[in-house]
Amino acid sequence: MILEDRIDAFHKLGVICSHPDTMDLFHDTVQRASQNNPWFTVDNIKFSILALSQILDAKLLYSWVSSYNMIDQNKKIGVIISSNIPFVGFFDFLCVLLSGNIFIGQLSSSNEILLPYLSSILLKLNSEFSKFIFFNKQIQDIDLLIATGNDNSAHYFEYKYAHLTKIIRRNRTSIAILDGLESENHYNSLANDVYRYFGLGCRNVSKLFVPKNFNFKKIKEVFQNYKIFTPTVDYLDNYQYQKNLNIINDFDYIDLNNLLLVQSDQIDSPISVLYYQYYDDIESLIILLEKCRNQIQCIVSNNHVFRDSIPFGLSQNPTLYDYPDGVDVMDFLTSN
């Protein structure tokens, strides 16, 4: 397979994914995926597949790969895939196959449906991919490794695959910086950054930085009435547990009826909790953020003084250049 054939197939896959309701077996697949993982709701699965369809444009793909030395090496790339959000692992899947290498995926037991489903469509578009796509229970006999998990699993992967050149991803989360001048539309967009995928993704905003004397009234009104968000039983259990925990410990919190706003100097909040922290001035905040840069995936802000910040509402729509943990996957694959 030449690069043009691979890009053409992914472009066609993107066109198909842009109309999920018309995809073959889509509704059956969504039902099975939701049974396999209750956090994978119909709405979140549809949002995720539409988001990935936006990056599968031929012009975008050609422009992206043009800066890499795309020599087909047919190396075996082991990819260990987590189960936090729908279609997690697709970007690694795309990178491995476009780079001319062999994808050997190890799926989480609670995420066994969605990526194989897209793979089956890709195989119908170009059967040559059957030589390059494999899903195995265990990763063995590979040349390079890409693994996504939490901090604990990262230590295990480092030990088990010490002999391999690898990318090991750890816990990351995202933040938003407010100045108090945001409109209702801004807060509606921010709600998507916070609530989408129930806060389980590394691109979910889990903390707000707000100026002194910030008025939470408007954000409370918007978040309480956020229409897209439909909490699951598991989410509501987490919400009630966190609420009880704060009551028992006599911690102050702002109850949004579906989310708790809690003041904290920590970055990564529990499910159903959104941390907030006051800042005095932009300069001191920039210094603070630099110290915890390795914990942050995205910075959502209207102020472009914050390096690599993105507008409200776009944290869950990554581009081809938004690499998890800031590690260039395609460069890793084409230079090792």
Side-chain angles (χ1 to χ4, degrees):
M1 291 178 71
I2 61 174
L3 177 61
E4 288 75 11
D5 290 337
R6 299 195 292 270
I7 288 180
D8 179 66
F10 273 103
H11 172 74
K12 290 176 180 175
L13 177 64
V15 173
I16 293 171
C17 290
S18 65
H19 300 87
D21 286 322
T22 65
M23 295 171 67
D24 289 343
L25 302 176
F26 179 73
H27 295 285
D28 175 65
T29 300
V30 168
Q31 184 178 12
R32 291 192 297 117
S34 296
Q35 291 171 347
N36 183 227
N37 188 332
W39 295 99
F40 290 3
T41 63
V42 174
D43 179 60
N44 280 334
I45 292 173
K46 283 188 176 182
F47 180 90
S48 183
I49 201 169
L50 286 170
L52 69 86
S53 74
Q54 293 173 12
I55 65 173
L56 297 181
D57 174 81
K59 290 183 179 179
L60 293 177
L61 293 172
Y62 274 114
S63 177
W64 174 49
V65 302
S66 64
S67 57
Y68 301 98
N69 184 24
M70 306 292 282
I71 300 174
D72 295 357
Q73 297 178 325
N74 289 340
K75 286 188 175 181
K76 297 177 181 178
I77 315 299
V79 181
I80 300 176
I81 300 167
S82 59
S83 59
N84 54 328
I85 64 174
F87 297 106
V88 61
F90 177 80
F91 185 72
D92 294 329
F93 178 78
L94 172 68
C95 289
V96 170
L97 295 177
L98 284 190
S99 64
N101 290 299
I102 299 169
F103 175 89
I104 302 176
Q106 178 180 314
L107 300 169
S108 164
S109 59
S110 55
N111 185 18
E112 298 179 321
I113 309 298
L114 295 176
L115 192 56
Y117 170 67
L118 288 189
S119 173
S120 68
I121 298 174
L122 194 64
L123 289 170
K124 291 178 182 177
L125 294 170
N126 192 324
S127 61
E128 286 296 306
F129 275 116
S130 62
K131 303 171 186 176
F132 296 87
I133 301 173
F134 301 92
F135 291 99
N136 296 339
K137 293 293 184 183
Q138 295 293 327
I139 296 290
Q140 300 179 41
D141 187 28
I142 58 174
D143 300 303
L144 301 171
L145 175 73
I146 302 172
T148 301
N150 55 35
D151 288 344
N152 291 329
S153 62
H155 290 300
Y156 171 75
F157 296 146
E158 291 280 9
Y159 172 77
K160 182 175 181 180
Y161 300 102
H163 61 291
L164 288 173
T165 302
K166 53 193 169 294
I167 293 175
I168 304 292
R169 301 190 183 112
R170 292 170 166 78
N171 285 347
R172 283 212 180 197
T173 190
S174 299
I175 65 166
I177 301 168
L178 309 182
D179 58 20
L181 302 176
E182 290 78 18
S183 67
E184 183 175 331
N185 286 336
H186 285 135
Y187 287 134
N188 269 306
S189 296
L190 176 61
N192 190 64
D193 298 327
V194 172
Y195 286 112
R196 179 63 65 183
Y197 308 131
F198 306 107
L200 291 169
C202 68
R203 300 182 68 87
N204 278 101
V205 168
S206 65
K207 173 141 186 194
L208 307 179
F209 285 92
V210 298
K212 290 293 179 78
N213 302 316
F214 180 82
N215 188 344
F216 286 96
K217 181 180 179 181
K218 188 182 293 184
I219 196 170
K220 184 176 182 180
E221 291 173 354
V222 172
F223 277 37
Q224 283 181 330
N225 297 303
Y226 186 55
K227 300 300 183 185
I228 298 176
F229 180 69
T230 304
T232 65
V233 172
D234 289 334
Y235 181 91
L236 291 173
D237 285 345
N238 276 274
Y239 163 74
Q240 193 59 55
Y241 171 78
Q242 292 296 330
K243 188 173 179 178
N244 292 339
L245 200 62
N246 280 277
I247 292 172
I248 291 171
N249 290 302
D250 197 26
F251 292 155
D252 290 332
Y253 62 90
I254 301 172
D255 192 353
L256 306 186
N257 298 329
N258 54 25
L259 184 74
L260 302 178
L261 277 169
V262 178
Q263 186 172 356
S264 173
D265 60 0
Q266 299 297 307
I267 296 290
D268 195 1
S269 62
I271 295 171
S272 75
V273 175
L274 178 61
Y275 286 151
Y276 68 91
Q277 181 174 343
Y278 295 106
Y279 64 87
D280 294 315
D281 55 77
I282 297 298
E283 291 73 21
S284 59
L285 180 55
I286 291 174
I287 294 172
L288 174 63
L289 294 182
E290 282 300 320
K291 292 179 181 178
C292 52
R293 171 63 67 171
N294 290 336
Q295 297 174 258
I296 299 172
Q297 182 64 38
C298 302
I299 297 177
V300 177
S301 174
N302 281 336
N303 193 337
H304 297 297
V305 71
F306 298 102
R307 181 161 56 94
D308 300 326
S309 63
I310 58 176
F312 293 105
L314 295 184
S315 73
Q316 303 299 349
N317 294 83
T319 71
L320 292 166
Y321 302 90
D322 292 323
Y323 296 103
D325 285 18
V327 179
D328 190 328
V329 181
M330 192 63 86
D331 180 67
F332 170 77
L333 293 170
T334 56
S335 60
N336 285 293

